[in-house]
Amino acid sequence: LHQTLDDIAALLEHHRALEALAGRQDRAQRGVAVTLQQRQNAADLRRRLRGFHPADLAFVLQGLEPEDRLHIWSSLDPPQAAETLLELDGSVRVWLIGQTSAHRLSRIAGSLDPDDLAWIAGELPEDVIHEVRQSLGEIDRALLRQADTYPAQAVGRLMSVDVAAVRETQTIADVL
């Protein structure tokens, strides 16, 4: 993991150097060169991060300087960002949430299942939670409401609700 963190930090430094070189082009081509380099760097970064496990991404994000952390965070697609958000240390998670637009947060939170959403709901802005609730199906909304009945640090808020339907003719062995 430490090697991965070092590799990502080096990649970001390399990207900064390439953007600086693009910025040294003559005036007529400078804007185009910088824009093209930024797009290429963003695609390179997304390609590199695509296969990372969320816990590994969380480790990398926590080990980077805030500017680099935000750069990585903004390059993640919403489902990957959602899974990574769950793995982050609370203080880093709160910081990233504060740095992220409400629209992007809604897309990220909308990628979570109700159990995971309940886990971080207290850290998300109320307007984001409201928007995500409205987009959920009735069953998922009910599960989220049920989790909300427990205090923030209670184990009930973290429990997954699973239902198993059993016919009268089935035995325990059949169900298992």
Side-chain angles (χ1 to χ4, degrees):
L1 284 177
H2 291 283
Q3 183 62 46
T4 300
L5 175 59
D6 293 343
D7 291 347
I8 294 297
L11 179 67
L12 292 172
E13 188 60 37
H14 179 71
H15 286 175
R16 278 192 286 276
L18 291 173
E19 286 176 22
L21 286 172
R24 292 187 188 132
Q25 299 293 321
D26 63 25
R27 289 185 192 263
Q29 297 177 359
R30 183 179 304 153
V32 173
V34 170
T35 301
L36 288 174
Q37 189 60 56
Q38 287 172 340
R39 286 183 183 172
Q40 184 177 350
N41 291 348
D44 185 32
L45 187 59
R46 277 193 299 277
R47 187 174 42 256
R48 176 71 196 265
L49 298 174
R50 188 175 300 133
F52 276 39
H53 187 277
D56 295 343
L57 268 173
F59 179 84
V60 168
L61 285 170
Q62 291 166 176
L64 292 171
E65 294 296 320
E67 180 182 322
D68 289 341
R69 180 183 299 158
L70 199 53
H71 189 71
I72 297 284
W73 174 249
S74 64
S75 71
L76 300 177
D77 65 336
Q80 189 178 29
E83 294 300 319
T84 302
L85 194 62
L86 297 171
E87 300 290 337
L88 288 167
D89 178 67
S91 62
V92 175
R93 181 173 41 244
V94 168
W95 185 84
L96 283 172
I97 287 170
Q99 300 297 313
T100 307
S101 72
H103 175 71
R104 179 163 163 78
L105 275 177
S106 294
R107 290 179 54 217
I108 290 169
S111 299
L112 294 169
D113 64 40
D115 294 332
D116 291 336
L117 185 58
W119 169 259
I120 63 165
E123 297 168 357
L124 294 170
E126 191 58 41
D127 58 330
V128 169
I129 289 296
H130 179 72
E131 184 177 334
V132 172
R133 279 180 201 264
Q134 298 308 312
S135 69
L136 293 174
E138 187 55 40
I139 293 172
D140 289 340
R141 219 179 338 217
L143 292 173
L144 191 56
R145 268 195 307 271
Q146 180 182 4
D148 287 344
T149 63
Y150 295 97
Q153 300 302 320
V155 71
R157 191 182 243 335
L158 306 178
M159 290 189 310
S160 295
V161 179
D162 292 323
V163 177
V166 180
R167 288 186 231 108
E168 289 182 30
T169 58
Q170 289 180 303
T171 66
I172 296 294
D174 294 337
V175 173
L176 292 176

